[in-house]
Amino acid sequence: MQKKNNIRVIQIISLLQGMVFYASVSTLYRQQAGVSIFQISVIESVSLAVSMALEVPWGILADRIGHRKTMVWCSFLFFLSKIVFWKAEGFGGFLLERILLAVTLAGLSGVDESILYASCGEDQYQKVYGHTQALGTLGMIFASMVCSLFIGNNYRLAGLFTAIAYGIAAVFSLFLSETKLPQKNKCSPFNSFRDSLRQVFRTKGLLGVILCGAFFGEVTHTVTVFLNQLQYIRCGWGNSIISLAYILGTLAELSSACSERLTRRIGEKHSGILLLMVSASACVIMIFSLNGWISLGCILAMGFSSALFTPLLSALENRLITIDDRATALSVSSLLTDSIAMLISLLMGRAAEHSLPFAMAVGAGTTLIALVLYACAQPGGAKTYRRASET
């Protein structure tokens, strides 16, 4: 009963934390408060650096103090960051908000997944994770509609509504039950990190899964969030049609709820390869296409592929992780993923400066590498890994 309650609470939190009412005007919000585009980029860089630096320490701490307690603390920190954002003025205020956000995201990384995995088990995880992701998207769509229809240019009101949603989410985190039993003989933080790193390199298929996720995830993010607008303009579309395309792209993310159904029908390996092939093909088509509707179809295909593939990859990664300190292991995985994703982002950004078709070609090639990595990962090949201190 407690495990089912955990699933419901995590899903409610995902829905509420998806309600970022200022998401569509976040840049305008900051500019109105006196922050320049360059200052925004500096703030984002600092935030990413802080998040990566705290990723593993937070994972180790979460495995020591408990996943529930970590989730509660981070949920309230998340709430605090939104209050700061609502009231922020100038560079210093928004830098503080982003640092708080980085601390929060580093703490939550792997913890919510660990709670879900422990609460629903291996067989149901992909389905539950997919539904959780879809609820987060639903919250985002709802918030975007409210902002467009009722809030308009009152950016501060959008910030207030977001803070309220996150405050309610923080309260719901108090209803979680602990899923990680305390260890009688806890190894040192260094040994926990060492064991997690060893698992990544010694467990058959795990490193391939992590690299696949980093390559594919960053390509789809870059293309569907940033390069898509340039592709539409290249095809001669105006702002009104591009806005409609954005809404359709967001709706495509709801398909994550169908991830488990697809896997059940055609198998884990085949469904993963299919989704990666679809995404690579979409990039290839956009190299040559100057038709807006064809390009929209490609962007939506990549959005569907990403939404369906993410729960599958998360389920596979969690199954391959066998050490007790799951949050630490997932944090190590996330750190590796973020590091690789940064390099791919820079590579595609440089390629886009040369030409958009060249950036799409880089995206297609990177996705094909992800496909090979996934095919070679041989899902289900994990062997039980035990700490060196236990052998």
Side-chain angles (χ1 to χ4, degrees):
M1 193 65 182
Q2 286 182 339
K3 291 184 176 181
K4 289 184 178 180
N5 176 70
N6 278 348
I7 295 171
R8 286 193 293 266
V9 170
I10 291 289
Q11 290 180 337
I12 291 171
I13 290 173
S14 179
L15 175 68
L16 290 166
Q17 290 182 345
M19 295 182 189
V20 182
F21 291 87
Y22 58 78
S24 60
V25 294
S26 59
T27 301
L28 300 176
Y29 191 118
R30 292 176 173 90
Q31 286 182 311
Q32 190 182 76
V35 183
S36 68
I37 295 295
F38 175 71
Q39 287 176 325
I40 292 174
S41 66
V42 171
I43 290 171
E44 290 298 316
S45 298
V46 172
S47 175
L48 181 59
V50 172
S51 181
M52 292 179 66
L54 294 178
E55 185 80 48
V56 174
W58 252 122
I60 295 171
L61 181 62
D63 284 323
R64 297 299 177 277
I65 67 175
H67 296 170
R68 176 193 177 275
K69 189 177 292 185
T70 304
M71 189 79 181
V72 170
W73 276 104
C74 289
S75 295
F76 277 92
L77 274 177
F78 225 158
F79 174 41
L80 178 61
S81 75
K82 297 307 175 187
I83 292 177
V84 172
F85 188 92
W86 169 43
K87 290 293 187 180
E89 292 286 350
F91 178 80
F94 285 98
L95 177 61
L96 173 61
E97 178 270 334
R98 217 59 186 173
I99 290 174
L100 283 172
L101 181 65
V103 173
T104 301
L105 293 179
L108 288 174
S109 177
V111 172
D112 51 353
E113 289 183 38
S114 297
I115 294 174
L116 273 183
Y117 193 79
S119 298
C120 64
E122 179 183 317
D123 294 339
Q124 293 296 313
Y125 176 78
Q126 185 180 344
K127 180 179 180 179
V128 172
Y129 184 84
H131 288 170
T132 305
Q133 292 287 95
L135 284 169
T137 302
L138 196 62
M140 181 172 60
I141 293 171
F142 170 76
S144 298
M145 291 175 61
V146 170
C147 182
S148 177
L149 296 174
F150 302 108
I151 296 177
N153 294 327
N154 192 344
Y155 301 153
R156 292 293 178 178
L157 183 60
L160 173 60
F161 280 7
T162 303
I164 291 172
Y166 275 68
I168 298 172
V171 172
F172 267 99
S173 70
L174 296 171
F175 295 96
L176 288 169
S177 302
E178 185 57 76
T179 56
K180 180 176 173 58
L181 296 175
Q183 301 170 29
K184 294 180 180 179
N185 298 310
K186 294 180 180 178
C187 63
S188 69
F190 173 78
N191 288 339
S192 181
F193 171 73
R194 180 200 61 194
D195 293 339
S196 297
L197 201 58
R198 282 180 175 176
Q199 168 127 92
V200 168
F201 289 98
R202 291 186 178 182
T203 300
K204 187 177 182 180
L206 183 54
L207 182 60
V209 167
I210 294 171
L211 294 176
C212 170
F215 287 2
F216 177 66
E218 188 56 36
V219 168
T220 53
H221 175 73
T222 301
V223 173
T224 60
V225 175
F226 300 111
L227 299 186
N228 61 338
Q229 297 167 42
L230 300 179
Q231 177 69 12
Y232 296 142
I233 292 172
R234 178 178 172 231
C235 296
W237 277 10
N239 290 337
S240 57
I241 305 182
I242 291 176
S243 297
L244 175 62
Y246 171 79
I247 294 172
L248 293 175
T250 303
L251 290 172
E253 295 179 25
L254 290 172
S255 61
S256 61
C258 303
S259 176
E260 186 268 343
R261 189 178 304 172
L262 174 67
T263 302
R264 185 159 25 93
R265 288 195 173 186
I266 66 175
E268 186 176 81
K269 189 169 186 177
H270 290 153
S271 58
I273 290 174
L274 172 65
L275 295 171
L276 290 163
M277 287 182 64
V278 167
S279 189
S281 300
C283 285
V284 171
I285 292 171
M286 284 188 287
I287 294 173
F288 306 101
S289 176
L290 292 175
N291 183 292
W293 296 107
I294 291 176
S295 296
L296 174 60
C298 291
I299 296 296
L300 291 179
M302 293 185 73
F304 279 117
S305 297
S306 177
L308 291 167
F309 188 68
T310 301
L312 165 60
L313 202 69
S314 180
L316 177 55
E317 182 180 357
N318 272 279
R319 189 166 70 245
L320 290 171
I321 292 173
T322 56
I323 63 174
D324 292 332
D325 290 342
R326 181 171 295 276
T328 305
L330 288 171
S331 292
V332 170
S333 169
S334 182
L335 181 61
L336 292 171
T337 299
D338 290 344
S339 301
I340 295 165
M342 283 178 60
L343 297 176
I344 295 170
S345 178
L346 291 171
L347 176 63
M348 293 194 67
R350 180 64 69 181
E353 286 184 351
H354 181 272
S355 74
L356 191 58
F358 183 47
M360 293 299 180
V362 172
T366 305
T367 304
L368 288 175
I369 294 173
L371 191 155
V372 172
L373 288 167
Y374 182 82
C376 294
Q378 298 180 359
K383 295 180 181 179
T384 301
Y385 175 84
R386 300 181 66 193
R387 286 196 181 87
S389 59
E390 296 174 344
T391 58

